[in-house]
Amino acid sequence: MMRANRGLSELRSISFEPNIMKYAEGSCLVKFGNTHVICTASVEDKVPPFLRNKGMGWVTAEYSMLPRSTNTRIERESSKGKLSGRTQEIQRLIGRALRAIIVPKKLGERQIHIDCDVIQADGGTRTSSICGGYIALAIACKKLIFERVIHQSPIIDSVAAISCGIVDGTLMADLDYNEDSNAHVDANFVMTGAGKLVEVQATGEDGPFTNDHMNALMLMASNAIKIITKKQAEVLAEVDFDQ
Amino acid sequence: MMRANRGLSELRSISFEPNIMKYAEGSCLVKFGNTHVICTASVEDKVPPFLRNKGMGWVTAEYSMLPRSTNTRIERESSKGKLSGRTQEIQRLIGRALRAIIVPKKLGERQIHIDCDVIQADGGTRTSSICGGYIALAIACKKLIFERVIHQSPIIDSVAAISCGIVDGTLMADLDYNEDSNAHVDANFVMTGAGKLVEVQATGEDGPFTNDHMNALMLMASNAIKIITKKQAEVLAEVDFDQ
Amino acid sequence: MMRANRGLSELRSISFEPNIMKYAEGSCLVKFGNTHVICTASVEDKVPPFLRNKGMGWVTAEYSMLPRSTNTRIERESSKGKLSGRTQEIQRLIGRALRAIIVPKKLGERQIHIDCDVIQADGGTRTSSICGGYIALAIACKKLIFERVIHQSPIIDSVAAISCGIVDGTLMADLDYNEDSNAHVDANFVMTGAGKLVEVQATGEDGPFTNDHMNALMLMASNAIKIITKKQAEVLAEVDFDQ
Amino acid sequence: MMRANRGLSELRSISFEPNIMKYAEGSCLVKFGNTHVICTASVEDKVPPFLRNKGMGWVTAEYSMLPRSTNTRIERESSKGKLSGRTQEIQRLIGRALRAIIVPKKLGERQIHIDCDVIQADGGTRTSSICGGYIALAIACKKLIFERVIHQSPIIDSVAAISCGIVDGTLMADLDYNEDSNAHVDANFVMTGAGKLVEVQATGEDGPFTNDHMNALMLMASNAIKIITKKQAEVLAEVDFDQ
Amino acid sequence: MMRANRGLSELRSISFEPNIMKYAEGSCLVKFGNTHVICTASVEDKVPPFLRNKGMGWVTAEYSMLPRSTNTRIERESSKGKLSGRTQEIQRLIGRALRAIIVPKKLGERQIHIDCDVIQADGGTRTSSICGGYIALAIACKKLIFERVIHQSPIIDSVAAISCGIVDGTLMADLDYNEDSNAHVDANFVMTGAGKLVEVQATGEDGPFTNDHMNALMLMASNAIKIITKKQAEVLAEVDFDQ
Amino acid sequence: MMRANRGLSELRSISFEPNIMKYAEGSCLVKFGNTHVICTASVEDKVPPFLRNKGMGWVTAEYSMLPRSTNTRIERESSKGKLSGRTQEIQRLIGRALRAIIVPKKLGERQIHIDCDVIQADGGTRTSSICGGYIALAIACKKLIFERVIHQSPIIDSVAAISCGIVDGTLMADLDYNEDSNAHVDANFVMTGAGKLVEVQATGEDGPFTNDHMNALMLMASNAIKIITKKQAEVLAEVDFDQ
């Protein structure tokens, strides 16, 4: 199987547009091809009950899709009155990914909410949310330092994520919705800028896969994440509060 | 009381960006100053139970705000598990406003969902949603005609809305969030392109107001809506499926 | 169109039966023709969180219909597990109407709950609830003064409400259920005893209406509310705690 | 322990006011002293799924209290979003009691909803609901026969209920709220007009009780129910559809 | 009607297996024939709000059935999002039964949760839960004394329960599911070891029953409970913390 | 770091007790050390809506913990009214794992519900559930064949799962609760009897990990799963419907 417009290990066109939201402490519109997600970081001077009086901060994430972000309109979870299992799984994943690069002590007793709202979905919404959520989080932390609320960044590395999979026997990176729907193996990798793994989730619902496949997917993801990491660093270098 | 940047009866800078969503049958990003709302129209070949087998269509609306569309992050209604009274009130209002300019028989047995998602909020989100929702609805109807699904437009007039109010004793149109928070009287008007009223909602929670005030607000609204109507017509004139 | 038993601007037979509930601080059974609503006022020595330690009181309202208050039995909202949009809209309206004639400082840090339970419904349940809710509220305030809990009444005016509408091209006041179901324009007006507007809600779902219609409805409502105001004053004059 | 105004086995002043609701097929305002309950019977031409196509009917009951039916305002279950265990227990009891005197085949495939709404509560609301619910049910059945919908009454006996208890070591019938709160044993009995038992519920939460006590309570209840049965018969004899 | 394997007043084979749960303060697997229930007692150093600062403890119970404890799989109440009326009725009954033999003052400000999880159901799950819940509770109290948290047992008697009923005109004790489904009268009795009644619940949904039947059921239950009480005492005598 | 009672790659004592539930089509009590889970398979002649009339079956899973399966009592999700994100994540994982070894066509239009109820929890409840769920599923399929409902087994391989992790820098297999709580990396692997991967989930919330670690964990899991697979085969070989 070939791809019409890009190589098998090639990413879609990606972009990070920082500071697109007027009120949020940090924000970013992230695009992976036709997948567009607004990520915001909101700083709150209060931590969840289990962390109170411990001098530590917390990062948490929420995820949602606009009803018409997809080809067929999906019902709002606010109208249904509960979050689906899929939504909860995704927002737990985003939260874990971002907490992996944070030193809670350095954040002090404050919580940062990362909201990821999918405006348009074409596969890879959870990995895009992690990539864009990192930018929003990093900007919010820069702002806290600039405003002398904290003195050292709680961020110790960058973090990014990508999906890779096997479609019709072919390995490929950064699956779009159509590829994802036809994938026999669907894997999501979260890695730090330093090249370490934070989270691996690989699923072969239509049938199992081999260790060799797993290793090949891991390698492909690792290369993709290097490219995203570079892009993230460039974007953040441009964000400046000092002027 | 004076306004820094515009006259008392002057609207904020407004714009309608049509067709911004890849999948929706109709869509529009509407901006009234810093209030930005994504409106989409989704056509469904099914009507609600109370209309089945009557040969008539239906238009319904949903409304939501991104958690960080506002100065202070608001909790998602999907997490809380229920819609607030405010949200329900607003989406019922948008639905009524749009149904007022539709001939249900001409739509056939199909439902159009209008989703209004507030990306950024600075007052007037419900009236902006009506203005942008009309554009999304009109585009979706054009598309149904272009695709020969229906043969006549079910739309018989345009519809727009504006808020007017009394702040510190002064009447003003198109209130931003700050003005709205300080208003003694807050009124929303929905009117057709032909200049007729569809809905009037005026509230004086901090104290009552006179008939004369009511009439002055109504006149101010009527003028504002003429300007919006003209803008809506210009935008729709540009939308074309024939090329 | 003519009415069989009353003039177009004539109210149905109305009555207020005060103190019908054994336990409530204030209560009233209000009847507008076949619409019967029990209104109670319950005083609580606690305000909602957003008002704590501000020395101000609050008035809030709840609204419900008995399952068989209507021609066809309606399902209980307690069984459905949530309040409908209509119920929330109505109880928010009643609350705003009653707060418009209250000076919160004079109430002290206490909350008055106004419960409006519709025993029988024949149109105009929300406006009847406002009219009867005012009586219940006024009695509760009298009682607080009589018991020397507060020293000045927090009530600065009376408040009443009426529905007016256009049915088959004819303007009429105090619509019953049958008229309301056939109305092209349905408007609710809340006004003070001093003749000022508190809330205006006019809807033309089956089609728009003119400014002239709006003005005629407003005038009709104003006359109707004068009659209700007089009745309310008479009823309250009879309520006495001193004996 | 003595009672101020009545003998220990004496009932409070009781009354049944039939046909108080304009729309219901059957209705009754039942009063046991200061306990007042509106009972309505609503006939629906549809049975619950488990009975479909079996040629049998069903009787079901719902129970609710107005927020200010009691000394201290109670929160609405519709606002809390769920029915309490107490409410469910009571409405299941009322339903069982009324089904005990019904021949489902004779009702045909229709359901009768009995709604019991407590307007004022002073103990014994569940037993009063059964007594008044029977009247509403019987009137609805009379109406079905009068309208020739069914040809034979599905009702084969009357049913009534009473609470008895032991307060400070003294047995007494028809406990008011104050007595009920201080009772060591609280028992509810449901019996038919023919003097048979339908339901016995006796509880000794503050400590256990003897078989002799149980038998004495049962005897006291039996006498009380004879009086209620007579009253019910008198009331129903007056209800007539033939005129 | 005869029973194949046991006399009409004979119990099924019963057993109590104490301390089957690793973590609970008290636990017991109770079996009445094919009805198997795991009962645990969990001690918490906190009482419900209505008991705070009164120096008294509380015992509460929860009840649930495994989805496949029954012949046909039942949906989980956690998936449905609410407890059924039946579940709430049962857990309220278990709680009342256990509180009847407790002196709250002697427990101090702590709460004991009794969880009754039905692993397999063949009739009599609520009465088995009471019998086994008592064992779990008694072990937990023994443990509190052994650990010198309290100095005197709050338990003043034992408690047990049994169902009796009338099936095809025949009285029988300890009904299994098949008998229960065919019973005309179904009664549950809760009694103390000293032979007093704690709770009586008798229902004749398929038709009423006589006082004589009631008395015969009560006698049968009383004999059955003596046997259970003896068994409970034997089991508890074996439980020892001193070794 | 060393383990007191077993080698680092050694499993805890494991056992599968088949057919422990009287009513279920298949069942198994699985134990991994102190983690005990009851797994049942319930066959239903109906598939979810998205599969209707496609001639294919479905396997779905639900997961729950008894309130006192853990050291500290956990609140029931049925009482809280919703499933936690963790529960939903786990039951989705179990379902995917079991569907990976099923040929839906061979099952016909029927659904098998796998219920996993944790009686006692000491780490590894989700992996144990998969291992035991497979046994329950396999027995249910055997039974369908024995009863000639289907003619070929829909099962094409066995499936098992294990957790591995890094605790204090040391890799170890089959983590108990204490080890899991202290793990820097926590990974769950689902593999088939043929040695292929079905699902990989590795998380490093306290910090990232290397590819080498990932590979070592994968190898360790692969060895562990071979042992479990053998045990599963032995147990199933003993289950026989032909006698």
Side-chain angles (χ1 to χ4, degrees):
Chain A
M1 190 189 170
M2 296 279 290
R3 273 169 158 175
N5 306 309
R6 53 177 168 132
L8 294 170
S9 59
E10 203 178 328
L11 297 176
R12 290 176 283 183
S13 153
I14 68 176
S15 72
F16 297 95
E17 206 178 321
N19 281 331
I20 52 135
M21 296 288 276
K22 185 181 169 66
Y23 306 110
E25 282 74 41
S27 66
C28 172
L29 170 61
V30 55
K31 297 185 180 174
F32 275 70
N34 282 317
T35 291
H36 304 176
V37 187
I38 294 178
C39 304
T40 60
S42 301
V43 180
E44 189 189 19
D45 282 333
K46 212 174 72 179
V47 287
F50 68 90
L51 277 184
R52 267 175 217 155
N53 303 317
K54 299 201 175 160
M56 292 200 292
W58 188 248
V59 175
T60 187
E62 295 192 8
Y63 167 96
S64 184
M65 299 176 81
L66 288 206
R68 202 52 198 280
S69 58
T70 50
N71 199 38
T72 306
R73 183 179 184 275
I74 49 177
E75 201 189 338
R76 283 173 201 272
E77 296 187 326
S78 56
S79 303
K80 288 195 284 190
K82 62 176 179 179
L83 300 178
S84 70
R86 178 185 173 274
T87 292
Q88 293 193 57
E89 209 168 299
I90 292 176
Q91 54 196 27
R92 283 158 57 93
L93 170 65
I94 302 170
R96 284 197 307 270
L98 296 175
R99 284 192 296 273
I101 50 136
I102 280 283
V103 179
K105 283 273 174 204
K106 292 198 180 156
L107 190 51
E109 285 210 22
R110 48 186 64 82
Q111 183 168 218
I112 303 187
H113 293 267
I114 305 296
D115 285 291
C116 302
D117 285 88
V118 180
I119 300 303
Q120 198 167 279
D122 188 26
T125 60
R126 76 187 72 187
T127 48
S128 304
S129 293
I130 291 169
C131 297
Y134 165 70
I135 300 287
L137 175 63
I139 295 174
C141 288
K142 276 197 177 199
K143 196 169 179 230
L144 285 172
I145 292 170
F146 175 69
E147 291 174 344
R148 297 178 188 271
V149 177
I150 57 176
H151 302 289
Q152 262 190 304
S153 180
I155 296 181
I156 49 169
D157 200 344
S158 70
V159 69
I162 196 70
S163 79
C164 295
I166 307 179
V167 185
D168 286 343
T170 309
L171 274 80
M172 44 180 78
D174 192 17
L175 279 56
D176 66 22
Y177 179 74
N178 189 40
E179 291 164 348
D180 188 83
S181 306
N182 293 298
H184 293 127
V185 181
D186 178 18
N188 292 300
F189 297 89
V190 184
M191 297 179 76
T192 61
K196 288 195 166 179
L197 290 160
V198 170
E199 185 107 13
V200 176
Q201 292 192 339
T203 302
E205 195 168 319
D206 283 1
F209 54 103
T210 63
N211 276 17
D212 287 352
H213 280 144
M214 187 67 204
N215 287 329
L217 289 167
M218 207 142 49
L219 182 60
M220 190 176 249
S222 176
N223 290 329
I225 282 174
K226 273 178 205 144
I227 293 165
I228 304 170
T229 296
K230 192 156 163 285
K231 198 98 178 182
Q232 288 174 320
E234 286 164 13
V235 169
L236 282 174
E238 302 282 312
V239 176
D240 204 346
F241 291 94
D242 285 306
Q243 295 148 353
Chain B
M1 190 188 169
M2 295 279 290
R3 273 168 157 174
N5 305 309
R6 53 179 168 131
L8 293 171
S9 59
E10 204 178 326
L11 297 176
R12 290 178 283 182
S13 152
I14 69 177
S15 71
F16 298 96
E17 206 178 320
N19 282 329
I20 52 135
M21 296 288 276
K22 184 181 168 65
Y23 305 110
E25 282 73 41
S27 66
C28 171
L29 170 60
V30 55
K31 296 185 181 174
F32 274 70
N34 283 318
T35 290
H36 304 175
V37 186
I38 293 179
C39 304
T40 60
S42 300
V43 180
E44 190 189 18
D45 282 334
K46 214 174 68 178
V47 286
F50 68 89
L51 277 183
R52 266 175 217 154
N53 303 317
K54 300 202 175 158
M56 292 199 292
W58 187 247
V59 175
T60 186
E62 295 192 8
Y63 167 95
S64 184
M65 299 175 82
L66 288 207
R68 202 54 198 279
S69 57
T70 49
N71 199 38
T72 306
R73 184 180 184 272
I74 49 178
E75 202 189 339
R76 284 173 200 272
E77 296 187 326
S78 55
S79 302
K80 287 194 284 189
K82 61 176 181 180
L83 301 178
S84 69
R86 178 186 174 272
T87 293
Q88 293 194 59
E89 210 169 298
I90 292 176
Q91 54 195 25
R92 283 158 57 94
L93 169 65
I94 302 171
R96 285 197 307 269
L98 295 174
R99 283 192 297 273
I101 51 137
I102 280 283
V103 179
K105 283 273 177 205
K106 292 198 180 156
L107 190 52
E109 285 211 21
R110 47 187 63 83
Q111 182 168 218
I112 303 186
H113 293 267
I114 304 297
D115 284 292
C116 302
D117 285 87
V118 179
I119 301 304
Q120 199 167 278
D122 187 26
T125 61
R126 77 187 70 188
T127 48
S128 304
S129 294
I130 291 169
C131 296
Y134 165 70
I135 300 288
L137 175 63
I139 295 175
C141 288
K142 276 197 176 198
K143 197 171 177 227
L144 284 172
I145 291 170
F146 175 68
E147 292 173 344
R148 298 176 187 273
V149 177
I150 57 174
H151 301 289
Q152 262 189 304
S153 180
I155 295 179
I156 49 169
D157 201 343
S158 69
V159 69
I162 196 70
S163 78
C164 295
I166 306 179
V167 186
D168 285 343
T170 309
L171 274 80
M172 44 180 78
D174 192 17
L175 279 56
D176 65 23
Y177 178 75
N178 189 41
E179 291 163 348
D180 189 83
S181 307
N182 293 298
H184 292 127
V185 181
D186 178 19
N188 292 299
F189 297 88
V190 184
M191 296 179 76
T192 62
K196 289 194 165 179
L197 290 160
V198 170
E199 184 106 13
V200 176
Q201 293 192 338
T203 303
E205 196 168 319
D206 283 2
F209 53 105
T210 63
N211 275 19
D212 287 352
H213 280 143
M214 186 68 203
N215 287 330
L217 290 167
M218 206 142 51
L219 181 62
M220 190 177 250
S222 176
N223 290 329
I225 282 175
K226 272 177 205 146
I227 294 165
I228 304 171
T229 296
K230 190 153 165 287
K231 197 96 178 184
Q232 288 174 320
E234 286 164 13
V235 169
L236 282 173
E238 301 283 311
V239 175
D240 204 347
F241 290 94
D242 286 305
Q243 295 148 352
Chain C
M1 189 188 172
M2 295 278 289
R3 273 168 157 176
N5 306 307
R6 53 178 169 133
L8 294 170
S9 59
E10 202 178 329
L11 297 176
R12 290 177 283 182
S13 153
I14 68 176
S15 71
F16 298 96
E17 205 177 321
N19 281 330
I20 53 134
M21 297 288 276
K22 184 181 169 66
Y23 306 110
E25 281 74 40
S27 66
C28 172
L29 170 61
V30 56
K31 296 184 181 176
F32 274 71
N34 283 317
T35 292
H36 304 175
V37 187
I38 293 178
C39 304
T40 60
S42 300
V43 180
E44 191 189 17
D45 281 333
K46 214 175 70 179
V47 286
F50 68 89
L51 277 184
R52 267 176 215 152
N53 304 317
K54 300 201 175 158
M56 292 199 292
W58 187 247
V59 174
T60 186
E62 295 192 8
Y63 168 96
S64 184
M65 299 176 82
L66 287 207
R68 202 53 199 282
S69 58
T70 50
N71 200 38
T72 306
R73 184 181 183 272
I74 48 178
E75 203 190 337
R76 284 173 200 271
E77 296 187 326
S78 55
S79 302
K80 287 195 284 190
K82 61 176 180 179
L83 299 179
S84 69
R86 178 184 174 275
T87 293
Q88 292 193 60
E89 209 168 299
I90 292 175
Q91 54 196 26
R92 283 157 57 91
L93 170 65
I94 302 172
R96 283 198 307 270
L98 296 175
R99 284 192 297 274
I101 51 136
I102 279 283
V103 179
K105 284 272 177 205
K106 292 197 181 158
L107 190 51
E109 284 211 23
R110 47 186 64 84
Q111 182 167 219
I112 303 186
H113 293 267
I114 304 297
D115 285 291
C116 303
D117 286 88
V118 179
I119 300 304
Q120 198 167 279
D122 187 26
T125 61
R126 76 187 73 187
T127 48
S128 304
S129 294
I130 290 169
C131 298
Y134 165 69
I135 300 287
L137 174 63
I139 295 175
C141 289
K142 277 197 176 198
K143 196 168 178 231
L144 285 172
I145 291 171
F146 175 69
E147 292 173 344
R148 299 176 187 272
V149 178
I150 57 175
H151 301 290
Q152 261 190 306
S153 181
I155 296 180
I156 48 169
D157 200 344
S158 68
V159 69
I162 196 70
S163 79
C164 296
I166 307 179
V167 186
D168 286 343
T170 310
L171 274 80
M172 44 181 79
D174 191 17
L175 280 55
D176 65 23
Y177 178 74
N178 188 42
E179 291 163 351
D180 188 84
S181 306
N182 293 298
H184 291 127
V185 181
D186 178 19
N188 291 299
F189 298 88
V190 184
M191 297 179 77
T192 62
K196 289 196 165 179
L197 290 161
V198 170
E199 184 107 14
V200 176
Q201 293 192 338
T203 303
E205 196 169 318
D206 283 1
F209 53 103
T210 62
N211 276 18
D212 287 353
H213 280 144
M214 187 67 203
N215 287 329
L217 289 167
M218 206 140 51
L219 182 61
M220 191 176 249
S222 176
N223 289 330
I225 282 174
K226 272 177 205 146
I227 294 165
I228 305 170
T229 297
K230 189 153 165 287
K231 198 97 177 185
Q232 289 173 319
E234 287 164 12
V235 169
L236 282 173
E238 302 282 311
V239 176
D240 202 347
F241 290 94
D242 285 307
Q243 295 150 352
Chain D
M1 189 189 170
M2 296 279 291
R3 275 170 157 174
N5 308 307
R6 52 178 169 133
L8 293 170
S9 59
E10 203 179 327
L11 297 176
R12 290 177 282 183
S13 154
I14 69 177
S15 71
F16 297 96
E17 206 178 320
N19 282 329
I20 53 137
M21 296 288 276
K22 183 181 168 68
Y23 305 110
E25 282 73 40
S27 66
C28 172
L29 170 61
V30 55
K31 297 185 181 175
F32 275 70
N34 283 317
T35 292
H36 304 175
V37 186
I38 293 179
C39 304
T40 60
S42 300
V43 180
E44 189 189 19
D45 281 334
K46 214 175 71 179
V47 286
F50 68 89
L51 276 183
R52 268 176 216 154
N53 303 317
K54 300 200 173 159
M56 291 199 292
W58 188 248
V59 175
T60 187
E62 295 191 9
Y63 168 95
S64 184
M65 298 174 83
L66 288 207
R68 201 54 198 281
S69 57
T70 50
N71 199 38
T72 306
R73 184 180 183 273
I74 49 178
E75 202 190 338
R76 284 174 200 270
E77 296 188 327
S78 54
S79 303
K80 287 194 286 189
K82 62 176 180 178
L83 300 178
S84 70
R86 178 185 174 274
T87 293
Q88 292 194 58
E89 209 168 301
I90 292 175
Q91 55 195 25
R92 284 157 57 92
L93 170 65
I94 302 171
R96 284 197 308 271
L98 296 175
R99 284 192 297 273
I101 51 136
I102 279 284
V103 179
K105 284 270 175 206
K106 292 198 179 156
L107 189 52
E109 285 211 20
R110 47 187 64 85
Q111 182 168 218
I112 303 186
H113 293 267
I114 305 297
D115 285 291
C116 303
D117 286 88
V118 179
I119 300 303
Q120 198 167 280
D122 187 27
T125 61
R126 76 187 72 186
T127 48
S128 304
S129 294
I130 291 170
C131 297
Y134 165 70
I135 300 287
L137 174 62
I139 295 174
C141 289
K142 275 197 176 198
K143 197 170 177 227
L144 285 172
I145 292 170
F146 175 69
E147 292 173 345
R148 298 175 188 272
V149 177
I150 58 175
H151 301 289
Q152 261 189 305
S153 180
I155 296 179
I156 49 169
D157 200 345
S158 68
V159 69
I162 195 72
S163 79
C164 295
I166 306 180
V167 186
D168 286 344
T170 309
L171 274 80
M172 44 180 78
D174 192 17
L175 279 56
D176 65 24
Y177 178 73
N178 188 40
E179 290 163 349
D180 189 84
S181 306
N182 293 297
H184 291 127
V185 181
D186 178 19
N188 292 298
F189 297 88
V190 183
M191 297 178 76
T192 63
K196 288 193 165 181
L197 290 160
V198 170
E199 185 107 13
V200 176
Q201 293 191 338
T203 302
E205 197 169 318
D206 284 1
F209 54 104
T210 63
N211 276 19
D212 287 352
H213 280 144
M214 186 67 204
N215 288 329
L217 290 167
M218 205 142 51
L219 182 61
M220 191 176 247
S222 175
N223 290 329
I225 282 174
K226 272 177 204 146
I227 294 164
I228 305 170
T229 297
K230 190 155 165 287
K231 197 98 178 185
Q232 289 174 318
E234 287 164 13
V235 169
L236 283 172
E238 302 282 312
V239 175
D240 204 347
F241 290 94
D242 286 305
Q243 293 149 354
Chain E
M1 190 187 170
M2 296 278 291
R3 273 168 157 176
N5 305 308
R6 53 177 168 131
L8 294 170
S9 59
E10 204 178 326
L11 297 177
R12 289 177 284 183
S13 154
I14 68 176
S15 72
F16 298 94
E17 207 177 319
N19 281 330
I20 52 137
M21 297 287 277
K22 185 181 168 66
Y23 306 110
E25 281 74 40
S27 66
C28 172
L29 171 61
V30 56
K31 297 185 181 175
F32 274 70
N34 284 316
T35 292
H36 304 176
V37 187
I38 293 179
C39 305
T40 59
S42 301
V43 180
E44 190 189 17
D45 282 333
K46 213 175 70 179
V47 286
F50 68 90
L51 277 183
R52 267 176 215 153
N53 303 318
K54 300 200 174 160
M56 291 199 291
W58 187 248
V59 175
T60 186
E62 295 192 8
Y63 167 97
S64 183
M65 299 176 82
L66 288 207
R68 201 53 197 280
S69 58
T70 50
N71 200 38
T72 306
R73 184 180 184 274
I74 48 178
E75 202 189 338
R76 283 174 202 271
E77 296 188 326
S78 55
S79 303
K80 286 194 285 188
K82 62 176 180 178
L83 300 178
S84 70
R86 178 185 173 273
T87 293
Q88 293 193 58
E89 208 168 300
I90 292 176
Q91 55 196 25
R92 283 157 57 93
L93 170 66
I94 302 171
R96 285 197 305 271
L98 296 174
R99 284 192 297 273
I101 51 136
I102 281 283
V103 179
K105 284 271 176 205
K106 291 197 181 159
L107 191 51
E109 285 211 20
R110 48 186 64 83
Q111 181 167 218
I112 303 186
H113 293 267
I114 304 297
D115 285 291
C116 302
D117 285 89
V118 179
I119 301 302
Q120 198 167 280
D122 187 27
T125 61
R126 77 187 71 186
T127 48
S128 304
S129 294
I130 290 169
C131 297
Y134 165 69
I135 300 288
L137 174 62
I139 295 175
C141 289
K142 275 196 177 199
K143 196 169 177 230
L144 285 172
I145 291 170
F146 176 69
E147 291 173 344
R148 298 176 189 273
V149 177
I150 57 175
H151 301 290
Q152 262 189 304
S153 180
I155 297 180
I156 48 169
D157 201 343
S158 69
V159 70
I162 195 71
S163 79
C164 295
I166 306 179
V167 186
D168 285 343
T170 309
L171 274 81
M172 44 181 79
D174 192 17
L175 279 56
D176 65 23
Y177 178 74
N178 188 41
E179 290 163 349
D180 188 85
S181 306
N182 293 297
H184 292 126
V185 181
D186 179 19
N188 292 298
F189 297 88
V190 184
M191 296 179 77
T192 62
K196 288 194 166 179
L197 291 160
V198 170
E199 184 106 13
V200 176
Q201 293 192 338
T203 303
E205 195 169 320
D206 283 2
F209 54 104
T210 63
N211 275 18
D212 287 352
H213 279 143
M214 187 67 202
N215 288 329
L217 290 167
M218 207 141 51
L219 181 61
M220 190 177 249
S222 176
N223 289 329
I225 281 173
K226 272 177 204 146
I227 293 164
I228 304 169
T229 297
K230 193 155 162 285
K231 198 96 176 186
Q232 288 174 320
E234 286 164 12
V235 169
L236 282 173
E238 301 283 311
V239 176
D240 204 346
F241 290 94
D242 286 306
Q243 294 149 353
Chain F
M1 191 189 169
M2 295 279 290
R3 273 167 157 177
N5 305 308
R6 54 178 168 131
L8 294 170
S9 59
E10 203 178 328
L11 297 177
R12 290 176 283 182
S13 153
I14 68 177
S15 72
F16 297 96
E17 206 178 319
N19 281 330
I20 53 134
M21 296 287 277
K22 184 182 169 64
Y23 306 110
E25 282 73 41
S27 66
C28 172
L29 170 60
V30 55
K31 297 184 181 176
F32 275 70
N34 283 317
T35 292
H36 304 174
V37 186
I38 292 178
C39 304
T40 59
S42 300
V43 180
E44 190 190 18
D45 282 333
K46 215 175 69 179
V47 286
F50 68 90
L51 278 183
R52 267 176 216 154
N53 304 318
K54 300 202 174 158
M56 290 200 292
W58 187 248
V59 175
T60 186
E62 296 191 9
Y63 167 96
S64 183
M65 299 176 82
L66 288 206
R68 202 51 198 280
S69 58
T70 50
N71 200 38
T72 305
R73 184 180 184 274
I74 49 178
E75 202 190 338
R76 285 173 199 272
E77 296 187 327
S78 54
S79 303
K80 287 194 284 190
K82 63 176 178 178
L83 300 178
S84 70
R86 178 186 174 274
T87 292
Q88 292 193 59
E89 209 168 300
I90 292 176
Q91 54 195 27
R92 282 158 58 94
L93 170 66
I94 302 170
R96 285 196 308 269
L98 296 174
R99 284 192 298 273
I101 52 136
I102 280 284
V103 179
K105 283 272 176 205
K106 292 197 180 157
L107 189 50
E109 285 211 20
R110 49 186 63 83
Q111 182 167 219
I112 303 187
H113 293 267
I114 305 296
D115 285 292
C116 302
D117 286 89
V118 179
I119 301 303
Q120 198 166 280
D122 187 26
T125 61
R126 76 186 72 187
T127 49
S128 304
S129 294
I130 290 169
C131 297
Y134 165 70
I135 300 288
L137 174 63
I139 295 174
C141 289
K142 277 197 175 197
K143 197 170 177 228
L144 285 172
I145 292 170
F146 175 69
E147 291 174 344
R148 299 177 187 272
V149 177
I150 57 175
H151 301 289
Q152 263 189 303
S153 181
I155 297 180
I156 49 168
D157 200 344
S158 69
V159 70
I162 195 70
S163 78
C164 295
I166 307 179
V167 186
D168 285 343
T170 309
L171 274 79
M172 43 180 80
D174 192 17
L175 280 55
D176 65 22
Y177 178 74
N178 188 41
E179 292 163 349
D180 189 84
S181 306
N182 293 297
H184 292 127
V185 182
D186 178 19
N188 292 300
F189 297 88
V190 184
M191 296 179 77
T192 62
K196 288 193 166 180
L197 290 160
V198 170
E199 184 106 14
V200 176
Q201 293 192 339
T203 303
E205 195 168 320
D206 283 1
F209 54 103
T210 63
N211 276 18
D212 287 352
H213 280 144
M214 186 68 201
N215 288 330
L217 289 167
M218 205 140 54
L219 182 61
M220 191 177 248
S222 176
N223 289 329
I225 282 174
K226 272 176 206 147
I227 294 165
I228 304 170
T229 297
K230 191 154 164 287
K231 198 97 178 184
Q232 288 175 319
E234 286 165 11
V235 169
L236 282 173
E238 301 283 310
V239 175
D240 203 347
F241 290 95
D242 286 306
Q243 294 149 352

